[in-house]
mmCIF file with all atom_site columns, all heavy atoms in Angstrom:
data_model
loop_
_atom_site.group_PDB
_atom_site.id
_atom_site.type_symbol
_atom_site.label_atom_id
_atom_site.label_alt_id
_atom_site.label_comp_id
_atom_site.label_asym_id
_atom_site.label_entity_id
_atom_site.label_seq_id
_atom_site.pdbx_PDB_ins_code
_atom_site.Cartn_x
_atom_site.Cartn_y
_atom_site.Cartn_z
_atom_site.occupancy
_atom_site.B_iso_or_equiv
_atom_site.pdbx_formal_charge
_atom_site.auth_seq_id
_atom_site.auth_comp_id
_atom_site.auth_asym_id
_atom_site.auth_atom_id
_atom_site.pdbx_PDB_model_num
ATOM 1   N N   . ALA O 1 173 ? 139.186 26.227 286.452 1.00 43.00 ? 173 ALA O N   1
ATOM 2   C CA  . ALA O 1 173 ? 137.932 27.011 286.469 1.00 43.00 ? 173 ALA O CA  1
ATOM 3   C C   . ALA O 1 173 ? 138.199 28.467 286.920 1.00 43.00 ? 173 ALA O C   1
ATOM 4   O O   . ALA O 1 173 ? 137.529 29.348 286.488 1.00 43.00 ? 173 ALA O O   1
ATOM 5   C CB  . ALA O 1 173 ? 136.982 26.360 287.585 1.00 43.00 ? 173 ALA O CB  1
ATOM 6   N N   . GLU O 1 174 ? 139.220 28.674 287.774 1.00 47.00 ? 174 GLU O N   1
ATOM 7   C CA  . GLU O 1 174 ? 139.557 30.014 288.243 1.00 47.00 ? 174 GLU O CA  1
ATOM 8   C C   . GLU O 1 174 ? 140.105 30.889 287.105 1.00 47.00 ? 174 GLU O C   1
ATOM 9   O O   . GLU O 1 174 ? 140.011 32.070 287.173 1.00 47.00 ? 174 GLU O O   1
ATOM 10  C CB  . GLU O 1 174 ? 140.516 29.949 289.399 1.00 47.00 ? 174 GLU O CB  1
ATOM 11  C CG  . GLU O 1 174 ? 139.851 29.348 290.625 1.00 47.00 ? 174 GLU O CG  1
ATOM 12  C CD  . GLU O 1 174 ? 140.858 29.269 291.780 1.00 47.00 ? 174 GLU O CD  1
ATOM 13  O OE1 . GLU O 1 174 ? 142.062 29.585 291.547 1.00 47.00 ? 174 GLU O OE1 1
ATOM 14  O OE2 . GLU O 1 174 ? 140.476 28.836 292.875 1.00 47.00 ? 174 GLU O OE2 1
ATOM 15  N N   . TRP O 1 175 ? 140.852 30.303 286.184 1.00 47.00 ? 175 TRP O N   1
ATOM 16  C CA  . TRP O 1 175 ? 141.591 31.069 285.148 1.00 47.00 ? 175 TRP O CA  1
ATOM 17  C C   . TRP O 1 175 ? 140.658 31.661 284.180 1.00 47.00 ? 175 TRP O C   1
ATOM 18  O O   . TRP O 1 175 ? 139.661 31.066 283.706 1.00 47.00 ? 175 TRP O O   1
ATOM 19  C CB  . TRP O 1 175 ? 142.595 30.190 284.420 1.00 47.00 ? 175 TRP O CB  1
ATOM 20  C CG  . TRP O 1 175 ? 143.346 30.983 283.336 1.00 47.00 ? 175 TRP O CG  1
ATOM 21  C CD1 . TRP O 1 175 ? 144.484 31.613 283.506 1.00 47.00 ? 175 TRP O CD1 1
ATOM 22  C CD2 . TRP O 1 175 ? 143.008 31.060 281.988 1.00 47.00 ? 175 TRP O CD2 1
ATOM 23  N NE1 . TRP O 1 175 ? 144.885 32.207 282.367 1.00 47.00 ? 175 TRP O NE1 1
ATOM 24  C CE2 . TRP O 1 175 ? 143.963 31.847 281.353 1.00 47.00 ? 175 TRP O CE2 1
ATOM 25  C CE3 . TRP O 1 175 ? 141.903 30.598 281.210 1.00 47.00 ? 175 TRP O CE3 1
ATOM 26  C CZ2 . TRP O 1 175 ? 143.975 32.216 280.015 1.00 47.00 ? 175 TRP O CZ2 1
ATOM 27  C CZ3 . TRP O 1 175 ? 141.949 30.916 279.884 1.00 47.00 ? 175 TRP O CZ3 1
ATOM 28  C CH2 . TRP O 1 175 ? 142.918 31.728 279.292 1.00 47.00 ? 175 TRP O CH2 1
ATOM 29  N N   . SER O 1 176 ? 140.893 32.851 283.821 1.00 47.00 ? 176 SER O N   1
ATOM 30  C CA  . SER O 1 176 ? 140.144 33.559 282.720 1.00 47.00 ? 176 SER O CA  1
ATOM 31  C C   . SER O 1 176 ? 141.014 34.560 282.041 1.00 47.00 ? 176 SER O C   1
ATOM 32  O O   . SER O 1 176 ? 141.892 35.177 282.657 1.00 47.00 ? 176 SER O O   1
ATOM 33  C CB  . SER O 1 176 ? 138.901 34.250 283.308 1.00 47.00 ? 176 SER O CB  1
ATOM 34  O OG  . SER O 1 176 ? 139.307 35.291 284.195 1.00 47.00 ? 176 SER O OG  1
ATOM 35  N N   . GLY O 1 177 ? 140.905 34.713 280.770 1.00 52.00 ? 177 GLY O N   1
ATOM 36  C CA  . GLY O 1 177 ? 141.726 35.601 279.984 1.00 52.00 ? 177 GLY O CA  1
ATOM 37  C C   . GLY O 1 177 ? 142.373 34.864 278.825 1.00 52.00 ? 177 GLY O C   1
ATOM 38  O O   . GLY O 1 177 ? 142.112 33.715 278.526 1.00 52.00 ? 177 GLY O O   1
ATOM 39  N N   . ASP O 1 178 ? 143.352 35.611 278.173 1.00 63.00 ? 178 ASP O N   1
ATOM 40  C CA  . ASP O 1 178 ? 144.042 35.018 276.996 1.00 63.00 ? 178 ASP O CA  1
ATOM 41  C C   . ASP O 1 178 ? 145.302 34.246 277.476 1.00 63.00 ? 178 ASP O C   1
ATOM 42  O O   . ASP O 1 178 ? 145.989 34.713 278.415 1.00 63.00 ? 178 ASP O O   1
ATOM 43  C CB  . ASP O 1 178 ? 144.423 36.212 276.079 1.00 63.00 ? 178 ASP O CB  1
ATOM 44  C CG  . ASP O 1 178 ? 143.231 36.874 275.510 1.00 63.00 ? 178 ASP O CG  1
ATOM 45  O OD1 . ASP O 1 178 ? 142.217 36.190 275.295 1.00 63.00 ? 178 ASP O OD1 1
ATOM 46  O OD2 . ASP O 1 178 ? 143.390 38.080 275.174 1.00 63.00 ? 178 ASP O OD2 1
ATOM 47  N N   . CYS O 1 179 ? 145.444 33.109 276.863 1.00 74.00 ? 179 CYS O N   1
ATOM 48  C CA  . CYS O 1 179 ? 146.643 32.295 277.217 1.00 74.00 ? 179 CYS O CA  1
ATOM 49  C C   . CYS O 1 179 ? 147.847 32.835 276.418 1.00 74.00 ? 179 CYS O C   1
ATOM 50  O O   . CYS O 1 179 ? 147.827 33.078 275.183 1.00 74.00 ? 179 CYS O O   1
ATOM 51  C CB  . CYS O 1 179 ? 146.384 30.836 276.764 1.00 74.00 ? 179 CYS O CB  1
ATOM 52  S SG  . CYS O 1 179 ? 147.855 29.793 276.943 1.00 74.00 ? 179 CYS O SG  1
ATOM 53  N N   . LEU O 1 180 ? 148.962 33.055 277.125 1.00 66.00 ? 180 LEU O N   1
ATOM 54  C CA  . LEU O 1 180 ? 150.149 33.568 276.451 1.00 66.00 ? 180 LEU O CA  1
ATOM 55  C C   . LEU O 1 180 ? 150.716 32.595 275.386 1.00 66.00 ? 180 LEU O C   1
ATOM 56  O O   . LEU O 1 180 ? 151.166 32.978 274.342 1.00 66.00 ? 180 LEU O O   1
ATOM 57  C CB  . LEU O 1 180 ? 151.263 33.838 277.554 1.00 66.00 ? 180 LEU O CB  1
ATOM 58  C CG  . LEU O 1 180 ? 150.901 34.984 278.503 1.00 66.00 ? 180 LEU O CG  1
ATOM 59  C CD1 . LEU O 1 180 ? 152.012 35.056 279.544 1.00 66.00 ? 180 LEU O CD1 1
ATOM 60  C CD2 . LEU O 1 180 ? 150.699 36.273 277.820 1.00 66.00 ? 180 LEU O CD2 1
ATOM 61  N N   . LEU O 1 181 ? 150.732 31.303 275.684 1.00 68.00 ? 181 LEU O N   1
ATOM 62  C CA  . LEU O 1 181 ? 151.207 30.347 274.811 1.00 68.00 ? 181 LEU O CA  1
ATOM 63  C C   . LEU O 1 181 ? 150.318 30.235 273.540 1.00 68.00 ? 181 LEU O C   1
ATOM 64  O O   . LEU O 1 181 ? 150.789 30.079 272.439 1.00 68.00 ? 181 LEU O O   1
ATOM 65  C CB  . LEU O 1 181 ? 151.307 28.931 275.415 1.00 68.00 ? 181 LEU O CB  1
ATOM 66  C CG  . LEU O 1 181 ? 152.565 28.747 276.336 1.00 68.00 ? 181 LEU O CG  1
ATOM 67  C CD1 . LEU O 1 181 ? 152.536 27.363 276.966 1.00 68.00 ? 181 LEU O CD1 1
ATOM 68  C CD2 . LEU O 1 181 ? 153.836 28.853 275.459 1.00 68.00 ? 181 LEU O CD2 1
ATOM 69  N N   . CYS O 1 182 ? 149.059 30.329 273.754 1.00 74.00 ? 182 CYS O N   1
ATOM 70  C CA  . CYS O 1 182 ? 148.124 30.354 272.636 1.00 74.00 ? 182 CYS O CA  1
ATOM 71  C C   . CYS O 1 182 ? 148.354 31.543 271.717 1.00 74.00 ? 182 CYS O C   1
ATOM 72  O O   . CYS O 1 182 ? 148.416 31.468 270.534 1.00 74.00 ? 182 CYS O O   1
ATOM 73  C CB  . CYS O 1 182 ? 146.678 30.325 273.094 1.00 74.00 ? 182 CYS O CB  1
ATOM 74  S SG  . CYS O 1 182 ? 146.159 28.764 273.885 1.00 74.00 ? 182 CYS O SG  1
ATOM 75  N N   . GLU O 1 183 ? 148.535 32.701 272.362 1.00 69.00 ? 183 GLU O N   1
ATOM 76  C CA  . GLU O 1 183 ? 148.806 33.951 271.620 1.00 69.00 ? 183 GLU O CA  1
ATOM 77  C C   . GLU O 1 183 ? 150.133 33.772 270.866 1.00 69.00 ? 183 GLU O C   1
ATOM 78  O O   . GLU O 1 183 ? 150.317 34.177 269.716 1.00 69.00 ? 183 GLU O O   1
ATOM 79  C CB  . GLU O 1 183 ? 148.865 35.142 272.572 1.00 69.00 ? 183 GLU O CB  1
ATOM 80  C CG  . GLU O 1 183 ? 147.527 35.481 273.149 1.00 69.00 ? 183 GLU O CG  1
ATOM 81  C CD  . GLU O 1 183 ? 147.710 36.674 274.133 1.00 69.00 ? 183 GLU O CD  1
ATOM 82  O OE1 . GLU O 1 183 ? 148.842 37.132 274.355 1.00 69.00 ? 183 GLU O OE1 1
ATOM 83  O OE2 . GLU O 1 183 ? 146.665 37.124 274.669 1.00 69.00 ? 183 GLU O OE2 1
ATOM 84  N N   . ALA O 1 184 ? 151.142 33.208 271.557 1.00 68.00 ? 184 ALA O N   1
ATOM 85  C CA  . ALA O 1 184 ? 152.464 33.037 270.903 1.00 68.00 ? 184 ALA O CA  1
ATOM 86  C C   . ALA O 1 184 ? 152.317 32.093 269.727 1.00 68.00 ? 184 ALA O C   1
ATOM 87  O O   . ALA O 1 184 ? 152.952 32.308 268.674 1.00 68.00 ? 184 ALA O O   1
ATOM 88  C CB  . ALA O 1 184 ? 153.456 32.466 271.893 1.00 68.00 ? 184 ALA O CB  1
ATOM 89  N N   . ASP O 1 185 ? 151.516 30.974 269.915 1.00 68.00 ? 185 ASP O N   1
ATOM 90  C CA  . ASP O 1 185 ? 151.339 30.030 268.800 1.00 68.00 ? 185 ASP O CA  1
ATOM 91  C C   . ASP O 1 185 ? 150.659 30.729 267.620 1.00 68.00 ? 185 ASP O C   1
ATOM 92  O O   . ASP O 1 185 ? 150.981 30.534 266.489 1.00 68.00 ? 185 ASP O O   1
ATOM 93  C CB  . ASP O 1 185 ? 150.498 28.835 269.286 1.00 68.00 ? 185 ASP O CB  1
ATOM 94  C CG  . ASP O 1 185 ? 151.305 28.019 270.302 1.00 68.00 ? 185 ASP O CG  1
ATOM 95  O OD1 . ASP O 1 185 ? 152.518 28.131 270.389 1.00 68.00 ? 185 ASP O OD1 1
ATOM 96  O OD2 . ASP O 1 185 ? 150.653 27.200 271.041 1.00 68.00 ? 185 ASP O OD2 1
ATOM 97  N N   . GLN O 1 186 ? 149.578 31.504 267.983 1.00 72.00 ? 186 GLN O N   1
ATOM 98  C CA  . GLN O 1 186 ? 148.863 32.193 266.888 1.00 72.00 ? 186 GLN O CA  1
ATOM 99  C C   . GLN O 1 186 ? 149.816 33.178 266.161 1.00 72.00 ? 186 GLN O C   1
ATOM 100 O O   . GLN O 1 186 ? 149.767 33.251 264.916 1.00 72.00 ? 186 GLN O O   1
ATOM 101 C CB  . GLN O 1 186 ? 147.667 32.915 267.464 1.00 72.00 ? 186 GLN O CB  1
ATOM 102 C CG  . GLN O 1 186 ? 146.560 31.970 267.933 1.00 72.00 ? 186 GLN O CG  1
ATOM 103 C CD  . GLN O 1 186 ? 145.977 31.132 266.825 1.00 72.00 ? 186 GLN O CD  1
ATOM 104 O OE1 . GLN O 1 186 ? 145.868 31.611 265.690 1.00 72.00 ? 186 GLN O OE1 1
ATOM 105 N NE2 . GLN O 1 186 ? 145.544 29.914 267.108 1.00 72.00 ? 186 GLN O NE2 1
ATOM 106 N N   . GLU O 1 187 ? 150.572 33.899 266.904 1.00 68.00 ? 187 GLU O N   1
ATOM 107 C CA  . GLU O 1 187 ? 151.522 34.883 266.338 1.00 68.00 ? 187 GLU O CA  1
ATOM 108 C C   . GLU O 1 187 ? 152.535 34.150 265.440 1.00 68.00 ? 187 GLU O C   1
ATOM 109 O O   . GLU O 1 187 ? 152.824 34.606 264.325 1.00 68.00 ? 187 GLU O O   1
ATOM 110 C CB  . GLU O 1 187 ? 152.211 35.637 267.399 1.00 68.00 ? 187 GLU O CB  1
ATOM 111 C CG  . GLU O 1 187 ? 153.138 36.722 266.845 1.00 68.00 ? 187 GLU O CG  1
ATOM 112 C CD  . GLU O 1 187 ? 153.820 37.488 267.986 1.00 68.00 ? 187 GLU O CD  1
ATOM 113 O OE1 . GLU O 1 187 ? 153.482 37.260 269.153 1.00 68.00 ? 187 GLU O OE1 1
ATOM 114 O OE2 . GLU O 1 187 ? 154.665 38.342 267.682 1.00 68.00 ? 187 GLU O OE2 1
ATOM 115 N N   . GLU O 1 188 ? 152.972 33.033 265.948 1.00 68.00 ? 188 GLU O N   1
ATOM 116 C CA  . GLU O 1 188 ? 153.994 32.280 265.155 1.00 68.00 ? 188 GLU O CA  1
ATOM 117 C C   . GLU O 1 188 ? 153.372 31.741 263.893 1.00 68.00 ? 188 GLU O C   1
ATOM 118 O O   . GLU O 1 188 ? 154.023 31.787 262.817 1.00 68.00 ? 188 GLU O O   1
ATOM 119 C CB  . GLU O 1 188 ? 154.528 31.127 265.979 1.00 68.00 ? 188 GLU O CB  1
ATOM 120 C CG  . GLU O 1 188 ? 155.684 30.369 265.314 1.00 68.00 ? 188 GLU O CG  1
ATOM 121 C CD  . GLU O 1 188 ? 156.275 29.325 266.255 1.00 68.00 ? 188 GLU O CD  1
ATOM 122 O OE1 . GLU O 1 188 ? 155.855 29.272 267.488 1.00 68.00 ? 188 GLU O OE1 1
ATOM 123 O OE2 . GLU O 1 188 ? 157.125 28.550 265.762 1.00 68.00 ? 188 GLU O OE2 1
ATOM 124 N N   . VAL O 1 189 ? 152.112 31.235 264.006 1.00 71.00 ? 189 VAL O N   1
ATOM 125 C CA  . VAL O 1 189 ? 151.440 30.731 262.817 1.00 71.00 ? 189 VAL O CA  1
ATOM 126 C C   . VAL O 1 189 ? 151.249 31.854 261.781 1.00 71.00 ? 189 VAL O C   1
ATOM 127 O O   . VAL O 1 189 ? 151.554 31.650 260.598 1.00 71.00 ? 189 VAL O O   1
ATOM 128 C CB  . VAL O 1 189 ? 150.051 30.150 263.220 1.00 71.00 ? 189 VAL O CB  1
ATOM 129 C CG1 . VAL O 1 189 ? 149.242 29.857 261.957 1.00 71.00 ? 189 VAL O CG1 1
ATOM 130 C CG2 . VAL O 1 189 ? 150.266 28.875 263.981 1.00 71.00 ? 189 VAL O CG2 1
ATOM 131 N N   . HIS O 1 190 ? 150.865 33.019 262.287 1.00 73.00 ? 190 HIS O N   1
ATOM 132 C CA  . HIS O 1 190 ? 150.720 34.147 261.312 1.00 73.00 ? 190 HIS O CA  1
ATOM 133 C C   . HIS O 1 190 ? 152.017 34.517 260.664 1.00 73.00 ? 190 HIS O C   1
ATOM 134 O O   . HIS O 1 190 ? 152.109 34.857 259.488 1.00 73.00 ? 190 HIS O O   1
ATOM 135 C CB  . HIS O 1 190 ? 150.082 35.358 262.038 1.00 73.00 ? 190 HIS O CB  1
ATOM 136 C CG  . HIS O 1 190 ? 148.647 35.090 262.418 1.00 73.00 ? 190 HIS O CG  1
ATOM 137 N ND1 . HIS O 1 190 ? 147.691 34.631 261.582 1.00 73.00 ? 190 HIS O ND1 1
ATOM 138 C CD2 . HIS O 1 190 ? 147.961 35.397 263.662 1.00 73.00 ? 190 HIS O CD2 1
ATOM 139 C CE1 . HIS O 1 190 ? 146.457 34.524 262.177 1.00 73.00 ? 190 HIS O CE1 1
ATOM 140 N NE2 . HIS O 1 190 ? 146.680 34.938 263.439 1.00 73.00 ? 190 HIS O NE2 1
ATOM 141 N N   . ASN O 1 191 ? 153.057 34.570 261.540 1.00 74.00 ? 191 ASN O N   1
ATOM 142 C CA  . ASN O 1 191 ? 154.410 34.975 260.997 1.00 74.00 ? 191 ASN O CA  1
ATOM 143 C C   . ASN O 1 191 ? 154.835 33.866 259.971 1.00 74.00 ? 191 ASN O C   1
ATOM 144 O O   . ASN O 1 191 ? 155.418 34.268 258.859 1.00 74.00 ? 191 ASN O O   1
ATOM 145 C CB  . ASN O 1 191 ? 155.401 35.037 262.131 1.00 74.00 ? 191 ASN O CB  1
ATOM 146 C CG  . ASN O 1 191 ? 155.149 36.247 262.996 1.00 74.00 ? 191 ASN O CG  1
ATOM 147 O OD1 . ASN O 1 191 ? 154.513 37.175 262.566 1.00 74.00 ? 191 ASN O OD1 1
ATOM 148 N ND2 . ASN O 1 191 ? 155.611 36.138 264.277 1.00 74.00 ? 191 ASN O ND2 1
#
Side-chain angles (χ1 to χ4, degrees):
E174 293 177 355
W175 179 88
S176 63
D178 296 330
C179 174
L180 295 177
L181 281 176
C182 292
E183 293 178 355
D185 293 342
Q186 291 296 328
E187 182 180 355
E188 184 174 355
V189 169
H190 290 313
N191 291 337

